[in-house]
Amino acid sequence: AGTNEEGKIEMKRYITSQETPEVIAEVLQRPSQKSTDRIMGIVNPIIKSIRERGDAAVLEYTHKFEKATSLTSPVLRAPFPRSMMQLPPETIAAIDVSFENIRRFHAAQQDDKPLVVETMPGVVCTRFSRPIERVGLYVPGGTAVLPSTALMLGVPAMVAGCKKIVIASPPRADGSVTPEIVYVASKVGAESIVLAGGAQAVAAMAYGTESVTKVDKILGPGNQFVTAAKMFVSNDTNAGVSIDMPAGPSEVLVVADKTANPAFVASDLLSQAEHGVDSQVILIAVDLNEQELAAIEDELHKQAMALPRVDIVRGSIAHSVTLVVKDIDEAMTLSNEYAPEHLILQVAEPEKVAEKVENAGSVFVGPWTPESVGDYSAGVNHSLPTYGYAKQYSGVNLGSYLKHITSSNLTADGLRNVGEAVMQLAKVEELEAHRRAVSIRLSHMDKSA
Ligand code: HSO
Ligand code: ZN
């Protein structure tokens, strides 16, 4: 799969003008996820045992799944010892540069002045924000260590002013946490690191255990077990916890026209393909001829063969496609329908084309903007809606860590101005106490006048 008869790593190619719209819609389907029943059958008992047996259960799962049998406590509390964040200076420098860019971009999203609107004379409506007090940030382990995800989740939590930042991440088999993650945790002021992964980490943060702090919101990507557990706890009123968004496998859609550099296009497709066998990459080729398509395909194969993770790439390329379309408008219609997590525009006048984006998690504009700059260091967030959820969800941003609270403040004149409307609607709804809450005050004003 993902390889043709001669062993070439190749995406399937469709020319939209030669297919029915139904076929194209079918082609743009996400690879289907394992049935939720099966996943929930595994996740439910895990959640139950964490609730019943707390730390002991967390440790058991970590011993079993992470093989970290030497671990005796599931939590590491701040201040984290320097010895746990020994890193080469170039890694420190890279984290520091990325941290600062992410901090700046998210700090600019702060609405520090409350919104005040006088809707009628004497009727003042205000909106102000407050940080969510305790947040749990899930940083996946698995086939790659992801300190960048710790940055993307931790920096906005710090900027928002969340009082307790808890980071959960599966430990390595020797029981230690990746030093990059410890370093990021200390930079963002995390109060603790939960050394657990999967549904058990989510459950521990949702309900709290003897040593894991219960949180108010859980953010971060994860596999199907993590996602299922997040969905479950956010639906459980006993947990009192919310989540950022549903998550699926990572994906990219690249729109390329004749001006695009084939090597750049291939490198962007492969950056996403190497994440996991379930990643999906889509190339929309705008009016490219056979020779131009072949140039991209040759680059894709050549670059893929040189990658350490070529086997993962083979898996994801197996369910990835190239769509050849007639013009940029057709490309953007298809892209908006697919609603990609990442959208890369390697086209003439990319800023103009960016204006046509209706649905996407994050957009990468022009030849000098590979997705990887956004994954790590540009300042934008990489925790983004996948699986078509870009149609209704935003990526993680400062607002993900805030509540917006409104207030109303009326003067006597204000109540005189708006009172009639209130009383009439209360009458319509036959809620007499509502009506009287206004009329009592109005007659009081008349008496004291
Ligand atoms: N592209 C991934 C994020 C990531 N890339 C982390 C590298 N490390 C999902 O947006
Ligand atoms: Zn990535």
Side-chain angles (χ1 to χ4, degrees):
T3 316
N4 73 6
E5 308 80 62
E6 293 109 57
K8 185 171 175 190
I9 296 179
E10 206 173 58
M11 297 166 50
K12 246 181 143 172
R13 202 203 278 179
Y14 295 85
I15 300 169
T16 59
S17 62
Q18 294 171 9
E19 307 287 348
T20 62
E22 290 73 31
V23 168
I24 298 305
E26 179 65 33
V27 164
L28 287 180
Q29 286 292 318
R30 264 74 178 182
S32 76
Q33 299 292 290
K34 280 195 210 86
S35 100
T36 33
D37 283 356
R38 237 209 70 208
I39 302 282
M40 284 320 296
I42 298 167
V43 164
N44 274 330
I46 297 180
I47 295 177
K48 191 162 169 274
S49 58
I50 300 292
R51 290 192 68 180
E52 284 169 358
R53 296 189 297 111
D55 282 353
V58 178
L59 272 174
E60 271 170 36
Y61 287 119
T62 307
H63 292 172
K64 181 172 160 201
F65 294 128
E66 266 65 56
K67 314 268 177 290
T69 45
S70 62
L71 213 64
T72 52
S73 164
V75 175
L76 193 67
R77 295 211 160 265
F80 309 114
R82 286 257 147 234
S83 60
M84 287 188 179
M85 34 179 132
Q86 291 305 317
L87 291 166
E90 57 275 22
T91 302
I92 302 262
I95 290 176
D96 290 354
V97 166
S98 308
F99 176 97
E100 182 53 17
N101 288 351
I102 299 162
R103 193 198 62 73
R104 286 178 69 168
F105 186 58
H106 290 78
Q109 296 167 26
Q110 190 79 263
D111 47 354
D112 31 27
K113 270 206 265 50
L115 180 82
V116 183
V117 178
E118 189 164 9
T119 55
M120 268 181 152
V123 180
V124 177
C125 298
T126 306
R127 189 181 79 160
F128 56 97
S129 65
R130 292 285 182 269
I132 295 174
E133 194 179 321
R134 305 166 296 182
V135 291
L137 315 178
Y138 187 81
V139 179
T143 65
V145 288
L146 298 172
S148 59
T149 299
L151 280 170
M152 296 298 174
L153 299 172
V155 173
M158 175 197 80
V159 172
C162 299
K163 286 208 183 69
K164 287 189 176 170
I165 301 176
V166 178
I167 294 180
S169 196
R172 302 184 287 196
D174 68 358
S176 67
V177 189
T178 317
E180 288 88 347
I181 292 179
V182 183
Y183 180 57
V184 172
S186 89
K187 277 190 78 107
V188 303
E191 65 125 44
S192 58
I193 300 175
V194 178
L195 298 94
Q200 55 277 21
V202 173
M205 292 193 290
Y207 300 99
T209 68
E210 303 92 307
S211 59
V212 178
T213 302
K214 188 237 177 301
V215 301
D216 305 304
K217 183 169 184 176
I218 297 174
L219 302 97
N223 62 21
Q224 293 181 56
F225 301 105
V226 171
T227 300
K230 280 169 68 186
M231 297 294 238
F232 179 94
V233 299
S234 67
N235 275 319
D236 180 5
T237 47
N238 294 314
V241 75
S242 71
I243 60 169
D244 46 358
M245 63 191 126
S250 209
E251 58 204 28
V252 70
L253 188 151
V254 180
V255 180
D257 66 9
K258 290 177 190 301
T259 67
N261 180 322
F264 296 3
V265 172
S267 72
D268 287 339
L269 293 167
L270 290 169
S271 312
Q272 201 54 48
E274 77 173 346
H275 269 294
V277 290
D278 53 1
S279 299
Q280 190 173 39
V281 307
I282 296 191
L283 169 64
I284 300 195
V286 183
D287 193 28
L288 297 195
N289 61 32
E290 183 56 43
Q291 200 187 343
E292 291 156 340
L293 287 166
I296 295 175
E297 285 165 0
D298 290 348
E299 273 293 337
L300 187 85
H301 174 72
K302 194 181 79 192
Q303 292 185 27
M305 291 307 284
L307 291 173
R309 289 163 75 96
V310 59
D311 288 334
I312 293 178
V313 167
R314 266 201 194 90
S316 45
I317 293 297
H319 43 76
S320 299
V321 290
T322 300
L323 297 178
V324 186
V325 302
K326 62 176 186 314
D327 58 22
I328 191 72
D329 283 333
E330 186 187 353
M332 294 313 289
T333 302
L334 286 173
S335 173
N336 285 327
E337 193 41 50
Y338 181 76
E341 179 191 12
H342 305 95
L343 170 60
I344 301 196
L345 301 173
Q346 298 207 36
V347 293
E349 301 190 281
E351 290 93 353
K352 254 201 183 146
V353 174
E355 288 170 17
K356 297 183 201 282
V357 176
E358 295 293 339
N359 301 314
S362 198
V363 185
F364 298 82
V365 182
W368 311 116
T369 321
E371 186 201 306
S372 42
V373 298
D375 280 351
Y376 295 119
S377 311
V380 297
N381 210 287
H382 82 201
S383 234
L384 300 167
T386 55
Y387 219 69
Y389 281 109
K391 285 192 177 173
Q392 51 277 103
Y393 281 89
S394 315
V396 166
N397 62 87
L398 193 72
S400 313
Y401 299 81
L402 301 171
K403 295 126 7 189
H404 287 97
I405 303 170
T406 59
S407 74
S408 337
N409 187 345
L410 277 68
T411 61
D413 275 343
L415 191 60
R416 274 190 206 102
N417 290 334
V418 78
E420 206 43 58
V422 177
M423 288 190 293
Q424 183 54 32
L425 286 174
K427 217 158 146 185
V428 171
E429 295 191 348
E430 294 179 25
L431 294 171
E432 184 55 15
H434 286 63
R435 197 192 64 80
R436 286 190 192 174
V438 175
S439 67
I440 278 176
R441 286 176 169 82
L442 292 180
S443 20
H444 180 85
M445 288 176 210
D446 288 344
K447 261 182 258 148
S448 44

